[in-house]
Amino acid sequence: MMKEFHCGSLVPGCEWHTRHEEEAEVMRRAVEHMREVHGETIIRESMIEAIRSRIVQQQDAA
Ligand SMILES: [Zn+2]
């Protein structure tokens, strides 16, 4: 089961998304993206929660 995060669900208009088996890795990449692309130099707990709540399980669409 893959976990997926679409930045556009948090930052309207952003096309970036990431996908990984591990939620922790999705979080890590998302935080890195926030920092590098959206200039969020300070990642607050509320941001972490916002990202986590938007991570979706991706069903295998075979
Ligand atoms: Zn983004």
Side-chain angles (χ1 to χ4, degrees), residues 19-43:
R19 184 194 299 174
H20 197 272
E21 289 178 343
E22 301 287 335
E23 186 184 80
E25 177 63 14
V26 175
M27 289 299 301
R28 195 190 66 74
R29 292 179 186 180
V31 165
E32 190 176 85
H33 170 79
M34 287 298 160
R35 198 174 278 144
E36 291 181 357
V37 178
H38 299 300
E40 298 284 349
T41 51
I42 299 165
I43 305 295

Side-chain angles (χ1 to χ4, degrees), residues 7 14 16 33 38:
C7 189
C14 185
W16 185 88
H33 170 79
H38 299 300

Side-chain angles (χ1 to χ4, degrees), residues 1 15-16 18 23 38 46 50 52 57:
M1 189 81 80
E15 301 273 307
W16 185 88
T18 190
E23 186 184 80
H38 299 300
S46 58
R52 184 176 289 132
Q57 299 268 2

